[in-house]
Amino acid sequence: MNTQQNPTIATRIESIKSRLAIAAKRFDRTENEIKLIAVSKFHPIETIHGALLTGHRTFGENRVQEANDKWPTLKERFSDIELHLIGPLQTNKAKLALSLFDVIETIDRKKLVDAIVKELPHTPSAPKFYIQVNIGEEEQKAGVSINELEGLLLYCKEQKLTIDGLMCIPPSDKPAAPYFALLRKYANKHHIKELSMGMSGDFEEAIQQGATSIRVGTAIFGERENL
Ligand SMILES: *Cc1c(COP(=O)(O)O)cnc(C)c1O
């Protein structure tokens, strides 16, 4: 494994962090309350290793299997890694996801809550959980629909699954800010603290609207070969 720091990744992470800090200041936020999640999906271990050498520790993956192929090795070599699941979770992968991730951001249905609750007693260190909201009510998009959010939250409460955050991916063909604002509104209404929103192209707007974590892939690792 190449142990040299990759200057491009180091520079890009620094640049995103400084943009994060500038946006925080501009919108009267505290820089430390906004987390940068480096989205490493589709990128190989060597690339991620380069990012870890810069000292960065918070990452996002959107497939359980892919994360399982990459992260156990990396976790042996680096401590304090915080891994977020930001893609859809199938119930039959719940057990594996619980052992791999520190935050599961994509709770979106009761069946998944059931599968997680069933495995939790056998999980040594339980992750945190966010609900993904289909904030633009898009047919093809993952996430619970807005009018089912309250019911899902209630169900989580009954099942004693604590929800710490809401996550969304706004429609790609419309301005994102109103959707970020809407997600914040629901978070406030239900006293939910964490808001995962904003990607490479719109994270400053997300910070303006109250994001507590931003998920940045392309601006750090470059273009992916999308499948
Ligand atoms: C891929 C992905 C990102 C990162 O997107 P970029 O535009 O590359 O920054 C963020 N959130 C989710 C849910 C993703 O799947």
Side-chain angles (χ1 to χ4, degrees):
M1 204 179 279
N2 180 10
T3 51
Q4 290 287 287
Q5 200 160 311
N6 180 328
T8 318
I9 288 184
T11 311
R12 284 171 173 170
I13 289 179
E14 272 320 301
S15 139
I16 299 294
K17 283 187 174 161
S18 79
R19 281 171 61 189
L20 185 159
I22 290 165
K25 195 158 189 215
R26 179 162 166 223
F27 301 120
D28 258 334
R29 309 268 322 271
T30 310
E31 181 185 341
N32 294 340
E33 72 186 21
I34 306 158
K35 194 171 267 183
L36 170 61
I37 301 171
V39 178
S40 49
K41 66 183 183 202
F42 304 168
H43 290 287
I45 275 192
E46 292 72 22
T47 307
I48 302 170
H49 191 253
L52 282 159
L53 287 177
T54 72
H56 194 76
R57 290 293 180 269
T58 310
F59 292 84
E61 287 282 346
N62 76 340
R63 291 180 189 178
V64 178
Q65 196 54 58
E66 183 188 337
N68 191 45
D69 291 339
K70 298 191 306 198
W71 285 93
T73 322
L74 293 165
K75 280 185 172 178
E76 271 171 30
R77 302 185 55 150
F78 296 88
S79 55
D80 306 325
I81 286 171
E82 184 179 307
L83 194 58
H84 291 235
L85 176 62
I86 60 170
L89 178 54
Q90 294 166 277
T91 48
N92 63 0
K93 298 253 170 71
K95 185 180 178 163
L96 182 56
L98 286 171
S99 71
L100 265 176
F101 292 96
D102 303 286
V103 183
I104 293 178
E105 299 199 6
T106 50
I107 305 293
D108 61 355
R109 60 200 191 279
K110 292 178 181 175
K111 261 205 153 63
L112 181 56
V113 174
D114 293 340
I116 286 173
V117 167
K118 194 172 140 230
E119 288 299 336
L120 266 185
H122 318 292
T123 308
S125 66
K128 289 185 185 293
F129 300 99
Y130 300 176
I131 285 179
Q132 180 177 2
V133 182
N134 185 356
I135 200 73
E137 305 279 18
E138 294 171 284
E139 194 119 333
Q140 76 287 5
K141 272 256 171 80
V144 68
S145 68
I146 288 174
N147 52 25
E148 287 169 24
L149 172 62
E150 191 154 350
L152 184 58
L153 277 165
L154 197 63
Y155 189 72
C156 291
K157 202 169 183 181
E158 285 165 7
Q159 303 302 315
K160 305 209 166 17
L161 189 75
T162 305
I163 299 298
D164 287 307
L166 297 181
M167 178 273 223
C168 78
I169 312 169
S172 53
D173 57 343
K174 299 200 184 110
Y179 294 101
F180 294 151
L182 195 59
L183 193 71
R184 186 188 57 192
K185 194 188 98 176
Y186 290 115
N188 289 347
K189 181 178 173 194
H190 297 289
H191 310 288
I192 293 171
K193 206 172 134 249
E194 307 293 343
L195 273 175
S196 173
M197 54 191 200
M199 319 203 304
S200 292
D202 54 21
F203 70 84
E204 277 129 335
E205 288 162 78
I207 289 171
Q208 179 175 17
Q209 300 301 332
T212 61
S213 59
I214 58 173
R215 309 178 305 265
V216 179
T218 312
I220 292 174
F221 296 108
E223 292 295 329
R224 296 176 288 270
E225 296 213 10
N226 277 299
L227 304 177

